[in-house]
Every structure is written in structure tokens, then in C-alpha cells.
Amino acid sequence: MTHHLNPHQDQAVKHIEGPMLVIAGAGSGKTRIITHRIVHLLNIGVPAAEILAVTFTNKAAEEMKHRINQLSFKNILTCTFHSLAAKILRESIHLIGFSNQFSIYDEDDSLSLIKSCLKTLGYEDEKSRVKSIKSSISQAKNDLKQPNDLKADSTLSSLDFTIFKSTYSLYQQKLKEYNALDFDDLLFQCVHLLKTSEPARVYYQSKWSFILIDEYQDTNEAQYLLTKLLVQKHQNLFVVGDPDQSIYSWRGANIQNILNFEKDFKNAKVIKLEQNYRSTNHILSAANSLIQKNSSRYEKNLWSALGDGEKVQITTHENEYEESRYVMQRISSHHARGIGYEKMVIFYRTNAQSRIYEDALLKQKIPYVIVGGISFYQRREIKDLLSYLKVAISPSDFISFSRTINLPKRGLGPSFIEKLKEVSERASLPILEVCTKLICSPLSFIECKLTTKQQESLKGYLEVIEYIQNGAKNRIQLKELIKKTIEKSNYLDHLKEDKETYEDRKANLDELITKASEWDEENEELTLEHFLEELSLKSSSEGKNPYHESVKLMTLHNGKGLEFDVTCIVGLEEEILPHVNSKHSNEELEEERRLLYVGMTRAKKHLYLTSSSYRMLWGTPRLMEPSRFLEELDQEHLIYPLKKESFFERREERSTPALSRQSFSEEKSAEDEFRVGSYVIHKDFGKGIIQKAYMTSLGKTYDVFFNDTRSTKSLVAKFAKLKRG
DNA sequence: GGATTCATTCTTTTT
DNA sequence: GAATGAATCC
């Protein structure tokens, strides 16, 4: 950005003491305000060590550090809430009775722990609900509720509640036993620490006299309390956010935190930044017209001095292939006219939608990068290897132990693990120690009869672990440590079992080694613990070179904070955006609207909103309805390049039976009572939609997709008495 | 104990 | 349609 600070920005940057809230609309120079304010603080003599900048993602934290470094040589702590909490707990968690060498469990780790808890409690049948239990636990922790604080909720049946409560309880007990914290615990325990330990509170409250928080609208209860605890002494809290871009309520984010800022912090100053430096006006006005449909918001109106620009282009296509072809065409055409691929983005609501665009881009030989998605550190081979390191550091970490003990196959399968677990629980010994005892003094744990072969392989495993432990102690280079771990464990044997993926996975391991050697160079006194911590908190595999000449593909959630010349938002259909699961409540619906708003406001010059009439969804072809959000956009900023008649006439046309062009149906349906796309009601199955109409030996037959069961049934007309829906 | 096949489930977003 | 889990067979 080349502009100077406008008066509002200047006021924010020059602010020094006391709480301040900056409501920063999309494209109003949010990050710029934070970085400039930090530099301003440094310039007036605030020591770098007293400034703390908190962001929401690792990417944002790194970006901020980078931008500060462009303006100043001083080193400022920029981190995410989670990494801040991890840092604090590493130093001080012993004050509340945990070991400072805890492991951090990611989503997968905690899921498998919850699974095993359910099993222990005898709820075998509840396996399908692991995920919902996980999210309930997560929700409870975000609200800082321990198992005993829970009250039966009207939404849960009493049995469900019992299951939930006891599982949560056992899960916490196991985490402590395994010396592990999950993501939510990092925040939870950190708040707990600051609340209960006076010395910790005093220490951390005076450590940072200036705290800045980005994306404040996304804070949850735990993050809010952590913030409050940390700023209590100095009250120099500077938060920046935009309520209209709050898109993480499903993760516990509480929009009230930003809306109540003035009440929470006495004498808070508020500044609104409403000038947008990113988009041209048709785009901006269209986005404004959408977000104004939300009822609960902090009123503001963005404006831009960048001219009218182009109207927002709306198109509907026959099916998702046509849709992707159109997007390809637009991308190529802009590229031909001189816009680099890296300035273009394709946004979708769900990750599952990315595949068709990958295929299309591959076919067109257009370079692309998927941003977000399956992260490098969540790949199986990487997690396996890191688990080896984790067990070595944290010998009670049962989850990492059971992940690695039989990789490669050592003849030490589930039943062996089960037995060990029992012994370890009964003797309350770390799982690794049980193994050592088993080898050194086999008589003391008689129940575990091992074959000689098993003993040998267990010995082999322990040697690997021992090697890692010694290596860590003697500060061997990480690169060396990882290389040797792969060698000594014969892990590659395991990968070789799947020849298809072997090369890829091996390449990933090589990349891990490369990353490790980069770490070795960057930081001499880096310990293995630090390395593991950093990796467990990092989910995005930020591309090697972010400015690479390639089209970006990502979910709308991943788009926050970015901007693109050419922005395509695809799949604008009911059930996708807004997503099916968000349609029950108005709050969730408003969040979907904000999500689209975030996507639209990424666009600088060209914005495309596309949709399909038919789409393969959950394995079956479905007739899709255009997203309600399209109707909410102010018409004067839109254009429908593919059709002469307006989009709404098309919509009319499609809801009448005279549907002539259907790629998924047969033409025979012309004289039938129901046609493809008609809504019907079945007395047992409820409301449905005709997907296919055809003749069989039994007569007219329809394939009907039923909303209630989300499945398609083939029904013979004369037996199934279908009514018009 | 291990591998293969079959079946079922669940499809949102992520630190 | 993918990915996980259970059942079955070696």
C-alpha cells in the first residue's frame, strides 16, 4: 500500500495508553495499523520485550513479524493464542501440578483417546458419536467448564448426558496420566494457572505492558479471559477486529467479546476505519448490501476511492463441470490480459469441492496451490515419526506409544498394547517404563508372556527410543536425530508396504528432514521439545514460496486477511452456501452470510459468483437451488454475462416443469405426471425431489431423493402413492 | 497376529 | 464417494 495514514488510522497508530478498540472494516488496513502502532511504541522507547502481539493463525503471526521487521530491527513476540498459552505453560504449568514436559495432542490424537475412553467405559455402541462428544468437550473447555460444572442440558437426553460427562471426566484423567494437553487445554489450563497461582499471575501481568490482538471478533471465552488476566495490571490493550468478519462461532468464538469491549474495559476508546483501500465500488457496494441483511451488527459503511470498477458477475451453469469450465475460461482470459495467476483465487465452502477445480486446472495446465487443506504435519508418515520423538520425550504418552510400537510390524499388535495398558494402569507406571521392566526383569510382570521374537522386537523399539532420548540430551542436530530415527526404526519398511504411495511419503519425510536442518541452522539452542511444540501447533503447511506464480484454491474460511485481483466464489447454492447444517438457526445463517461477505471483500477488481443447477452431492446427483444470498445482493451492482434474461427469470423457468436440458435425466419424462425436479411427498419418506423418471417392467418409476433420510430411493409410480410437494 | 474384504458412516469451517 | 471400522479368512 502506498497511501499515507488517514486521520483515523493515524489516531489509532498514535494511541499509547489505555484500552482501544479498532473496528476495522475489510480492506481498511488492519494489519498495517497494528504493525505501525508497534513500531510507534518502539520509537517512543517502549522495550521490545514488553510488547506482545497475538493473532489467530500462524500465518498471520508470521506475516506480522515479517512486516514489523521491515520497519524495525527489534524482535517482537508475535504468536497465536495457542502458542502463547503453550509458552506460558511450558514455563509454569508445574505450579498447578502438571509436568512441564507435556505433549500436545492434536485433533486426531484426542479423537483416538476419546474412542478408547468410550471403550473403557463400556459404551461400545457410541463409537459413531466420538466426534460429537469431542466437540461437546471442546465446547465445555472453551467455556471453561470442568466435568463437574456441567449441568444436564435440555438438548441432551439424560443418557447422552451421562455418557458425555463420564467420558469427559475420564478423558481429562487420561490426558493427565499421559502427560498431555489438547488444543483446548492449552487455553483452559493457562487461564486456570493465571487464576490460581498468584506468582504466575504477578509475573505474566507485568511481563507485557502492551498487548495487541488481531481478529478480536474471533476470540472465545477462554481467550477472552486469558486476555483479561494478562492486561489487568497495565490495561494497555489494543484490539482490532471486524464483527462482520466473525466466522468462527462454531469454534466457540463469541462475537459479544468485541461488541461488549467498551463495557468490559473502562475508558476504552473506539475508532472505526471505514475507508477501504482494496476493492472498487461495485464490488464493495454489493458486499455491503449483503451484510446489511444481518440483524445483529456494529453499523458501519465501507467506502472506497478506487472508482466504480466492474460489476459483480453472476452465472449459473448446468452442472459443476460446466461451472468449473467457465471459471477456467475466466482465469485464462484474465491471464492473457496480463494478470498473474498468483493474483487469482477460487473460493469454495467445503474442502470436498476442491477436487473438481484441481482436475480442471491440471487439465488446463494452469499452476495452482491449495492453501490450507490437509496439512503437511497431519500426514500420516510425518505424524508417525513425530510420535516416535514424542514418546521419547514424554514416556507416559500412551497415544504416541501405541501409534508407533507396531510401525513397522513388530508382532506387537492390539492385544499386546491392551495388556500393557492394563499393567501400566494398575502399577501406575509410564507405559515406556513398563516396557523396560518387561525386558529387564520379565518375572515381575508375569501376565505378559512374550515370545522370544516379540522380546527381540520390543528391545529393538526401546533402542530406538533410547537413541532419541540420548540424542536429545546431547543436543544432536535435529536433522541427524530424525534421519537416524527413520533408519533405526526401519520405518521405511512400513511405508514400503504400500507401493503406490511409497515415493510420495518418503519425499515427505525428506522434506521433514530438510525442515529440521533449517531449524538447526536458525536456532542453535533449540531443543527437541521446542521443535515438537512448534510443529504440533502448526497446522497449515504454508507453501514453500507463497508468491509462486499459481492460482490459489481455498475454503472461504482460509481467505480471511488475503486479497486478489480476480476472485471466484463457486458453488453458490442452497445447502452449500448457506451450508445445510447452518440452516436451522438464524445465527448460523448470519454467519454463513458473513462468510460470503468475507469472500466477496477479498476481491480487488473482478468478482465472479457462480453456481450450478445440478451437482453430484453425497454420491448422488442433486438438483440445486441458487443461494438465497444471491437474491440479497443489490441488483445495480450485478451483471449476468451468460444470459440475456435476468437470473430470476431463469430461476422461474427452472421451477416450472418445462425443464428441457438435463444432463442427469432422460427425456422420457416429458409426458409423466412428475418430472425431474418436481417436489413430491411420500407418506413414509416425507418430502423429496424427483431425480430421474424412467420405465421399467413394472411401469413408470422414479428415483426420488428424500430430504429426511438424505438418500435416493427408486419408487414405482403405481405402488408408491406420491403426492405433489 | 495380520491381511483382506465388506460395510457403514458421514460428510463444514481449524488452532 | 472416501475413509474408517468390523468381520472374515489365512
Side-chain angles (χ1 to χ4, degrees):
Chain A
M1 266 184 264
T2 49
H3 66 91
H4 293 287
L5 296 173
N6 69 37
H8 298 291
Q9 292 178 325
D10 192 61
Q11 204 189 338
V13 165
K14 301 272 168 66
H15 173 79
I16 298 173
E17 289 192 302
M20 174 175 270
L21 163 66
V22 179
I23 299 281
S28 64
K30 195 164 51 89
T31 317
R32 193 159 183 258
I33 296 307
I34 299 183
T35 51
H36 275 72
R37 177 167 185 261
I38 290 175
V39 173
H40 183 245
L41 290 175
L42 291 171
N43 286 344
I44 61 167
V46 176
E50 286 183 23
I51 303 174
L52 168 68
V54 184
T55 63
F56 243 78
T57 64
N58 293 298
K59 212 163 83 187
E62 267 157 49
E63 168 77 8
M64 190 168 293
K65 179 159 267 171
H66 176 71
R67 284 171 72 165
I68 296 169
N69 283 341
Q70 284 179 334
L71 301 165
S72 159
F73 294 108
K74 304 246 176 69
N75 223 346
I76 301 292
L77 179 57
T78 62
C79 58
T80 65
F81 271 108
H82 292 267
S83 64
L84 172 67
K87 183 185 155 71
I88 292 175
L89 293 175
R90 256 327 149 207
E91 290 168 352
S92 309
I93 199 172
H94 59 274
L95 295 171
I96 49 171
F98 287 82
S99 150
N100 295 58
Q101 302 240 308
F102 56 85
S103 292
I104 298 172
Y105 278 1
D106 69 8
E107 204 73 8
D108 286 345
D109 297 330
S110 11
L111 276 175
S112 46
L113 182 52
I114 290 171
K115 251 183 238 168
S116 99
C117 289
L118 280 167
K119 207 175 161 191
T120 311
L121 292 168
Y123 298 128
E124 299 263 7
D125 300 333
E126 304 303 320
K127 278 198 179 142
S128 55
R129 276 190 254 168
V130 188
K131 270 199 183 145
S132 75
I133 291 181
K134 166 84 179 79
S135 84
S136 301
I137 292 180
S138 180
Q139 214 180 330
K141 286 187 186 176
N142 283 334
D143 290 339
L144 300 164
K145 292 207 170 88
Q146 306 223 337
N148 283 333
D149 304 329
L150 294 167
K151 290 199 187 75
D153 190 89
S154 54
T155 56
L156 290 169
S157 74
S158 63
L159 177 66
D160 281 351
F161 180 72
T162 319
I163 294 171
F164 167 51
K165 194 170 168 182
S166 51
T167 312
Y168 181 16
S169 220
L170 183 62
Y171 172 69
Q172 284 312 102
Q173 189 193 320
K174 288 289 159 195
L175 280 173
K176 191 158 187 188
E177 215 170 275
Y178 299 164
N179 196 16
L181 300 179
D182 67 14
F183 283 148
D184 303 314
D185 278 338
L186 290 174
L187 302 172
F188 185 102
Q189 298 296 357
C190 196
V191 170
H192 183 59
L193 168 77
L194 293 178
K195 268 188 178 166
T196 53
S197 158
E198 167 114 34
R201 189 166 60 242
V202 170
Y203 176 72
Y204 291 106
Q205 279 180 351
S206 46
K207 186 169 169 118
W208 297 292
S209 21
F210 291 90
I211 298 181
L212 302 92
I213 299 176
D214 195 10
E215 309 281 12
Y216 189 71
Q217 77 280 356
D218 286 333
T219 49
N220 64 27
E221 199 57 26
Q223 289 159 334
Y224 166 76
L225 268 168
L226 180 56
T227 307
K228 255 200 137 161
L229 282 162
L230 285 176
V231 301
Q232 212 168 55
K233 184 172 169 203
H234 298 285
Q235 295 286 314
N236 295 327
L237 175 64
F238 184 89
V239 308
V240 181
D242 179 3
D244 287 337
Q245 293 185 64
S246 159
I247 52 177
Y248 286 102
S249 72
W250 52 274
R251 231 174 66 194
N254 185 357
I255 199 167
Q256 297 306 322
N257 289 344
I258 193 165
L259 297 177
N260 290 337
F261 187 85
E262 290 161 86
K263 279 184 220 150
D264 288 339
F265 298 94
K266 290 273 142 54
N267 305 319
K269 287 193 182 133
V270 181
I271 291 180
K272 268 197 223 178
L273 302 180
E274 295 181 300
Q275 182 176 1
N276 172 298
Y277 295 93
R278 180 184 295 149
S279 315
T280 44
N281 272 307
H282 277 308
I283 292 174
L284 200 57
S285 306
N288 279 341
S289 70
L290 175 75
I291 202 65
Q292 266 156 16
K293 300 287 188 296
N294 272 2
S295 56
S296 58
R297 55 188 297 264
Y298 202 111
E299 189 58 43
K300 65 175 171 352
N301 228 328
L302 285 182
W303 60 280
S304 149
L306 297 175
D308 281 349
E310 204 175 84
K311 289 190 174 181
V312 179
Q313 308 202 29
I314 315 275
T315 55
T316 305
H317 307 267
E318 195 55 43
N319 55 48
E320 68 263 49
Y321 294 99
E322 296 291 323
E323 186 184 353
S324 71
R325 211 180 309 165
Y326 176 74
V327 173
M328 291 307 113
Q329 194 196 318
R330 299 321 303 147
I331 286 177
S332 307
S333 142
H334 282 297
H335 187 249
R337 270 179 272 158
I339 299 184
Y341 287 132
E342 76 284 357
K343 292 178 181 158
M344 309 187 195
V345 70
I346 301 173
F347 282 126
Y348 34 79
R349 172 71 237 261
T350 67
N351 278 311
Q353 290 166 262
S354 73
R355 240 180 86 173
I356 191 154
Y357 288 91
E358 279 190 78
D359 288 349
L361 289 161
L362 223 50
K363 207 165 160 189
Q364 303 279 317
K365 299 200 163 58
I366 297 174
Y368 70 92
V369 171
I370 295 186
V371 178
I374 333 108
S375 112
F376 179 73
Y377 300 103
Q378 276 171 17
R379 284 171 211 272
R380 212 166 56 218
E381 59 279 14
I382 303 297
K383 282 208 68 183
D384 286 344
L385 210 87
L386 295 180
S387 292
Y388 263 105
L389 306 179
K390 277 192 192 171
V391 194
I393 296 292
S394 176
S396 8
D397 185 346
F398 177 75
I399 297 290
S400 298
F401 171 81
S402 60
R403 187 180 182 111
T404 49
I405 181 68
N406 211 23
L407 288 181
K409 301 260 147 57
R410 295 189 175 89
L412 302 168
S415 61
F416 168 75
I417 296 177
E418 222 19 66
K419 252 187 238 165
L420 273 197
K421 193 180 164 204
E422 273 168 39
V423 177
S424 142
E425 271 167 17
R426 209 158 349 115
S428 38
L429 277 178
I431 194 86
L432 261 193
E433 231 164 279
V434 176
C435 292
T436 325
K437 289 238 161 90
L438 209 54
I439 293 296
C440 301
S441 51
L443 288 180
S444 52
F445 293 95
I446 323 136
E447 300 104 301
C448 285
K449 282 175 227 131
L450 292 185
T451 62
T452 1
K453 208 180 141 204
Q454 284 181 317
Q455 280 193 21
E456 280 309 302
S457 26
L458 184 57
K459 230 186 229 169
Y461 178 78
L462 289 175
E463 270 162 25
V464 180
I465 300 296
E466 215 170 288
Y467 167 78
I468 300 170
Q469 288 170 338
N470 284 331
K473 215 183 289 162
N474 301 325
R475 298 285 173 87
I476 295 185
Q477 288 212 313
L478 282 173
K479 178 184 152 192
E480 211 41 42
L481 194 66
I482 291 175
K483 252 188 175 170
K484 284 268 162 55
T485 305
I486 298 174
E487 260 172 51
K488 287 181 188 287
S489 63
N490 293 320
Y491 182 72
L492 290 183
D493 287 354
H494 167 65
L495 292 188
K496 277 178 193 151
E497 280 175 27
D498 190 344
K499 284 177 199 130
E500 298 261 302
T501 59
Y502 175 69
E503 287 302 326
D504 276 356
R505 294 190 188 277
K506 189 167 173 289
N508 284 333
L509 284 180
D510 287 338
E511 199 176 327
L512 181 67
I513 296 173
T514 311
K515 277 196 204 299
S517 66
E518 282 166 18
W519 278 66
D520 284 328
E521 276 163 34
E522 272 167 33
N523 203 332
E524 280 184 7
E525 60 219 285
L526 183 80
T527 63
L528 180 56
E529 285 96 324
H530 284 126
F531 180 67
L532 286 176
E533 174 170 320
E534 184 99 6
L535 294 197
S536 3
L537 291 173
K538 196 169 268 192
S539 87
S540 59
S541 58
E542 55 266 5
K544 282 168 233 163
N545 30 354
Y547 302 107
H548 198 249
E549 244 285 282
S550 53
V551 174
K552 305 289 181 285
L553 274 97
M554 64 185 92
T555 62
L556 285 162
H557 282 88
N558 269 313
K560 204 152 68 167
L562 305 175
E563 58 180 29
F564 300 90
D565 282 8
V566 179
T567 299
C568 309
I569 306 178
V570 303
L572 274 141
E573 297 137 33
E574 286 293 304
E575 316 260 291
I576 291 189
L577 185 62
H579 192 270
V580 226
N581 300 356
S582 308
K583 286 166 82 168
H584 340 282
S585 81
N586 195 45
E587 275 117 58
E588 287 180 79
L589 201 62
E590 295 206 346
E591 180 147 318
E592 295 290 296
R593 196 177 278 116
R594 289 194 290 270
L595 197 50
L596 177 57
Y597 174 75
V598 168
M600 291 178 72
T601 51
R602 301 307 99 195
K604 292 165 93 170
K605 294 175 189 150
H606 312 278
L607 175 59
Y608 297 91
L609 306 180
T610 68
S611 59
S612 293
S613 306
Y614 287 89
R615 169 185 304 276
M616 282 297 255
L617 213 57
W618 305 310
T620 45
R622 296 264 325 259
L623 177 70
M624 306 302 290
E625 223 180 294
S627 168
R628 66 189 73 185
F629 298 146
L630 289 172
E631 290 175 50
E632 295 173 0
L633 298 170
D634 201 340
Q635 289 297 310
E636 69 180 281
H637 308 296
L638 312 181
I639 186 170
Y640 302 85
L642 284 188
K643 291 287 162 197
K644 266 195 194 146
E645 70 270 39
S646 88
F647 167 80
F648 296 105
E649 285 159 22
R650 281 211 64 196
R651 188 189 168 105
E652 283 293 298
E653 174 204 320
R654 274 206 298 106
S655 54
T656 63
L659 197 57
S660 54
R661 23 153 197 88
Q662 292 153 2
S663 50
F664 293 113
S665 75
E666 290 168 28
E667 294 296 323
K668 276 185 188 168
S669 59
E671 80 286 348
D672 287 350
E673 198 186 344
F674 298 114
R675 284 153 177 103
V676 173
S678 315
Y679 289 96
V680 294
I681 293 174
H682 185 278
K683 71 177 171 59
D684 296 327
F685 304 137
K687 208 175 168 190
I689 184 167
I690 305 277
Q691 294 196 312
K692 208 173 180 180
Y694 50 96
M695 292 298 286
T696 63
S697 54
L698 293 170
K700 283 173 203 159
T701 305
Y702 301 111
D703 283 0
V704 189
F705 179 86
F706 289 100
N707 294 342
D708 294 355
T709 54
R710 282 201 196 155
S711 60
T712 301
K713 291 191 169 29
S714 297
L715 301 172
V716 178
K718 62 185 172 193
F719 302 132
K721 285 165 193 154
L722 295 171
K723 284 192 197 139
R724 231 166 247 295

